[in-house]
């Protein structure tokens, strides 16, 4: 999912440029519109969007430092991807100053 988001964010400036050229010029596929300058700027802007999306998705994850990683496995012919699970709380020992 994260890889698809990054690809979409990278391609987004090119799609918007195509739409703008189509509205403005009527034909977005003329060679003069796709010279080196605009393509470089679109690519750089796409990279910035992709890195920003990656950083946003990384920081939006809510990871608990006490969680344990469960590796990927196959159960009954189905692939289960790796994920994080909460560790069970350890049993509390009885208080040492208990009355008798």
């Amino acid at each position: 999912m994260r890889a698809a988001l990054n690809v979409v964010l990278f391609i987004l400036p090119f799609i918007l440029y195509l739409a703008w050229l189509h509205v403005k010029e009527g034909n977005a596929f003329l060679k003069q519109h796709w010279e080196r300058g605009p393509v470089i700027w679109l690519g750089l802007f796409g990279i910035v969007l992709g890195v920003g999306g990656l950083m946003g998705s990384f920081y939006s994850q809510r990871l608990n430092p006490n969680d344990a990683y469960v590796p990927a496995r196959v159960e009954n012919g189905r692939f289960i991807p790796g994920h994080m699970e909460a560790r069970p709380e350890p049993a509390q020992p009885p208080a040492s100053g208990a009355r008798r």
Side-chain angles (χ1 to χ4, degrees):
M1 180 67 188
R2 189 180 296 172
L5 175 67
N6 284 332
V7 169
V8 168
L9 287 175
F10 178 76
I11 294 175
L12 184 64
F14 294 95
I15 294 171
L16 293 175
Y17 184 62
L18 268 170
W20 180 73
L21 284 175
H22 181 70
V23 168
K24 181 181 169 217
E25 302 288 333
N27 187 357
F29 296 104
L30 296 175
K31 185 178 178 182
Q32 64 195 18
H33 298 306
W34 296 95
E35 293 178 357
R36 181 177 283 179
V39 172
I40 288 175
W41 283 108
L42 291 170
L44 289 174
F45 191 61
I47 290 171
V48 168
L49 283 177
V51 169
L54 182 64
M55 289 174 47
S57 66
F58 177 74
Y59 286 116
S60 69
Q61 291 179 354
R62 295 187 175 106
L63 298 178
N64 185 349
N66 295 327
D67 288 351
Y69 176 71
V70 178
R73 62 190 182 278
V74 175
E75 286 184 5
N76 299 326
R78 291 188 59 209
F79 175 75
I80 300 174
H83 59 278
M84 301 296 283
E85 281 186 1
R87 290 183 186 164
E89 294 292 326
Q92 297 292 332
S96 60
R99 294 185 183 188
R100 294 184 183 188

